Amino acid sequence: MTHSEIYAPDRLHGLDALRAGALLLGVVLHASLAFLPQQIWIVADDSTSIGAAWLFFAIHLFRMTAFFLIAGLFAHMMLARKGWLAFARDRATRITGPLAAFWSPVMVGIVGALIWTSYKNCLVVPGAPAPPPPTYDWTNFPLTHLWFLYVLTLFYAAVLILRAPFALLDRGGGWGRVVDRVTGVLIGPWTPVILAVPLALAMWLDPKWIAFFSVPTPDAGLVPNTTALVGFGLAFGVGFLIDRRRDLLDRIAAWSPLTLAVAVGTGIASYYLAGGPVIAPMGEPTADKAVAAWVTALAVYSSAFAAMGLCLRFLSGHSVIRRYLADASYWVYILHLPLVMLAQVWVQDWAGPWWLKLGGVSLGVFAVCLITYELLIRHTFMGTWLNGRRVPWRKSGPVAAVAAE
């Protein structure tokens, strides 16, 4: 595969595919939570399996780290193309804006699912006084799954703050050339090993770290936990630097079979070191915790780079279906969680194997999200808001609309 085949100058189709896959897998990830052997979710299904735990663990291990990796790359691409002012305006409109607009309806749906499952499982007696509402402050504010947009906003703000002193230092281009050379040294089959060092240290020092969750999602509180900032921040930063050296995408693709093998080996090992779906903090730093943290951190980054490399290697050609799903994935991400929870409550006491119910919940939510995307988002001002463009209705359907772009 040639350099020009891996990416076209106008669009990185392989990374579009990875972005779509990472967001769409969120539906399956959250749907699987109801079927874990140990209840950790608002909805607990009558059918559980260790297979659901493996599925959740495998997806959670790489998904958001891979997304922050390509988010950093796309951030540099946009900043270089639009300039800092247009970049700030675009990110405020398309990232921070949806966070502010959709948080309330998402919370309404989540609370509705919680009330429904409480009545369904006789946890609330009709006519009994309602329990006191929870109190929230900056330490426990529920960002829900939209935490990703909040953390992205923080990273974008950091980029804009740091660009000014770097631009002053790099007037002659010398600092930029040094950064590019360092990036070239950093990227290779050894990259996950280098990045795993600070992440493993953060995990080891965190008394609340739960190994089964690998990088803990900062979904509660306005100050993200240190482990998430390190894990996702490193991925975002490396992605930002890679866009300055697009030639390194060839190297990432070429080494993807090795990084995939490392990811599989360390992923399996990290699952067993975590004790399986054990939802308990590992506590204070110990030798056993150090081993678990190191293996998990290596699995996180090797799986993220393997996903990136494989998508660059095999999905870099133009595909109308993948392009459509990439466009729809943002809306699916925003909308899916309340729908998943409501569907889980609906089927939780149905007879049937866990995998059939998981598939039904996932496919049903996908269908609702894609239909609403086509009818309400893609061809309206909402498409301009979320995706940066609106596809006119005259292009007669989603596939034709993508093909014509």
Side-chain angles (χ1 to χ4, degrees), residues 28-398:
V28 181
L29 176 87
H30 290 121
S32 70
L33 283 167
F35 306 98
L36 267 59
Q38 183 175 341
Q39 182 177 358
I40 62 172
W41 191 235
I42 292 173
V43 185
D45 198 90
D46 290 346
S47 176
T48 62
S49 171
I50 199 68
W54 273 103
L55 179 64
F56 171 87
F57 182 82
I59 296 173
H60 188 68
L61 189 67
F62 82 94
R63 174 176 166 262
M64 295 313 300
T65 305
F67 199 97
F68 276 106
L69 181 63
I70 59 174
L73 188 149
F74 287 141
H76 182 272
M77 184 191 306
M78 180 179 295
L79 186 62
R81 187 174 69 244
K82 292 190 172 186
W84 72 269
L85 186 58
F87 172 84
R89 186 184 304 114
D90 181 273
R91 298 295 83 186
T93 301
R94 295 174 55 195
I95 300 298
T96 313
L99 169 63
F102 291 110
W103 181 85
S104 292
V106 162
M107 277 300 297
V108 169
I110 291 173
V111 171
L114 175 60
I115 294 172
W116 187 13
T117 192
S118 297
Y119 276 104
K120 200 169 183 181
N121 291 283
C122 301
L123 299 177
V124 175
V125 179
T135 57
Y136 295 116
D137 56 30
W138 65 273
T139 64
N140 65 348
F141 184 82
L143 292 168
T144 71
H145 67 300
L146 301 180
W147 68 264
F148 170 63
L149 302 183
Y150 179 74
V151 174
L152 266 185
T153 298
L154 297 181
F155 288 169
Y156 292 142
V159 164
L160 292 173
I161 291 171
L162 294 173
R163 67 166 294 279
F166 183 82
L168 288 175
L169 291 172
D170 195 40
R171 287 179 176 176
W175 279 91
R177 288 189 291 271
V178 171
V179 169
D180 291 341
R181 284 196 291 269
V182 171
T183 304
V185 173
L186 174 64
I187 300 302
W190 50 83
T191 306
V193 177
I194 296 172
L195 297 181
V197 174
L199 177 57
L201 180 62
M203 291 173 169
W204 185 61
L205 294 175
D206 183 2
K208 297 181 180 179
W209 180 59
I210 299 173
F212 181 70
F213 290 143
S214 53
V215 181
T217 53
D219 54 3
L222 300 182
V223 179
N225 66 78
T226 302
T227 304
L229 283 178
V230 172
F232 299 141
L234 282 173
F236 183 91
V238 170
F240 192 89
L241 295 176
I242 288 174
D243 190 61
R244 294 175 55 95
R245 289 284 309 272
R246 290 282 189 89
D247 57 298
L248 297 175
L249 295 177
D250 287 341
R251 192 182 299 177
I252 294 171
W255 284 104
S256 57
L258 176 61
T259 50
L260 177 62
V262 174
V264 171
T266 55
I268 293 172
S270 63
Y271 178 89
Y272 283 108
L273 288 170
V278 175
I279 316 303
M282 295 198 75
E284 298 302 317
T286 63
D288 288 344
K289 186 180 180 183
V291 173
W294 169 251
V295 174
T296 301
L298 185 56
V300 165
Y301 286 117
S302 58
S303 58
F305 274 90
M308 185 180 194
L310 291 171
C311 286
L312 288 168
R313 192 166 183 165
F314 298 109
L315 300 177
S316 282
H318 177 70
S319 164
V320 294
I321 295 176
R322 290 199 300 270
R323 177 67 188 279
Y324 185 84
L325 291 176
D327 288 344
S329 62
Y330 191 15
W331 175 245
V332 175
Y333 156 74
I334 291 171
L335 184 63
H336 81 276
L337 186 57
L339 297 180
V340 165
M341 296 175 68
L342 291 168
Q344 288 170 330
V345 176
W346 188 29
V347 306
Q348 66 179 337
D349 53 0
W350 291 10
W354 71 273
W355 53 267
L356 184 61
K357 296 165 79 172
L358 171 62
V361 168
S362 301
L363 290 175
V365 170
F366 277 132
V368 172
C369 290
L370 292 177
I371 290 171
T372 55
Y373 170 73
E374 178 64 23
L375 296 178
L376 304 177
I377 307 299
R378 184 171 179 81
H379 308 288
T380 71
F381 73 95
M382 295 281 287
T384 304
W385 180 28
L386 297 179
N387 293 336
R389 70 187 186 282
R390 178 183 69 87
V391 178
W393 280 105
R394 65 177 180 271
K395 290 183 178 178
S396 64

